[in-house]
Amino acid sequence: MKINVLDNAHKWFQTELELESGSYVHFFGKYGGKTNVHEGFSTGMRVESPEAPLAVFEKEGITYFTEHADDWFFAGYDLTVGYDEQRQEPIYFFQEEK
């Protein structure tokens, strides 16, 4: 599993969550909603330090990650985090692992 946070999404996280170098963002699966590959579950995020990271992506000192406990949601997929200009919020896209 790989994570990629695109520049425009990274800038949103920095601004909206007031992140600075040394900050962490945890992506996880949550009940309700959907993704392009999950029905009834969506992608959540919160600012917190990792305990047992599964996948990690770092940009400008900010670490984006998933935990081993989240493997049920991310197994078999890579995650790209982009930015929806119209909704002015992050958008999460899953594709099969390569």
Side-chain angles (χ1 to χ4, degrees), residues 19-36:
L19 302 178
E20 50 191 48
S21 183
S23 296
Y24 297 91
V25 178
H26 176 197
F27 297 120
F28 59 93
K30 65 180 186 170
Y31 183 73
K34 67 178 185 173
T35 72
N36 62 304

Side-chain angles (χ1 to χ4, degrees), residues 13-72:
F13 284 112
Q14 284 180 301
T15 302
E16 293 298 316
L17 302 179
E18 299 179 354
L19 302 178
E20 50 191 48
S21 183
S23 296
Y24 297 91
V25 178
H26 176 197
F27 297 120
F28 59 93
K30 65 180 186 170
Y31 183 73
K34 67 178 185 173
T35 72
N36 62 304
V37 297
H38 303 96
E39 197 62 47
F41 296 93
S42 57
T43 308
M45 61 86 183
R46 61 182 164 244
V47 177
E48 65 183 1
S49 298
E51 291 180 22
L54 173 67
V56 175
F57 178 84
E58 187 176 325
K59 186 172 252 181
E60 296 180 334
I62 297 171
T63 303
Y64 300 91
F65 70 97
T66 63
E67 290 278 355
H68 277 281
D70 305 314
D71 190 46
W72 65 271

